[in-house]
Amino acid sequence: MYKQFINMINQNWGGGNQVVVNTTPLKFEGKSADNKPLYSFAKDNNGQYRTNLLEKSARLADVWQLQVGLRYIFN
């Protein structure tokens, strides 16, 4: 909440929220001959290793919102 309020005043102050892109950076490959687990680094859809696990989030919950209502009663 604090970041959204600060960001509303100046867009460079809030810093923005970051989300985890890949929660499993390691991929289980199996076991070796002496029964030890083997892992490799997971790759993205382009076949490249990920260098960053966090990206800026652009969800609706990350921006400041205001709702205004109007009520009129007929007698």
Side-chain angles (χ1 to χ4, degrees), residues 6-7 15 17-18 23 27 40 43-44 61 63 66 71-72:
I6 297 297
N7 199 12
N17 293 334
Q18 292 186 337
T23 58
K27 179 181 175 186
S40 65
K43 296 182 179 180
D44 62 7
V63 295
L66 173 70
R71 176 190 266 185
Y72 185 80

Side-chain angles (χ1 to χ4, degrees), residues 1 6 16 21-22 25 35 37 41 45 50 62 68-69 72:
M1 179 70 179
I6 297 297
V21 177
N22 187 0
N35 206 23
F41 285 106
N45 295 336
R50 286 205 169 267
D62 295 329
V68 177
Y72 185 80

Side-chain angles (χ1 to χ4, degrees), residues 43-62:
K43 296 182 179 180
D44 62 7
N45 295 336
N46 298 328
Q48 302 292 322
Y49 293 112
R50 286 205 169 267
T51 56
N52 59 342
L53 295 179
L54 296 174
E55 289 182 355
K56 277 197 159 192
S57 175
R59 300 176 302 161
L60 185 61
D62 295 329

Side-chain angles (χ1 to χ4, degrees), residues 3 10 14 27 35 39 69 75:
K3 283 185 181 180
N10 185 336
K27 179 181 175 186
N35 206 23
Y39 296 96
N75 286 333

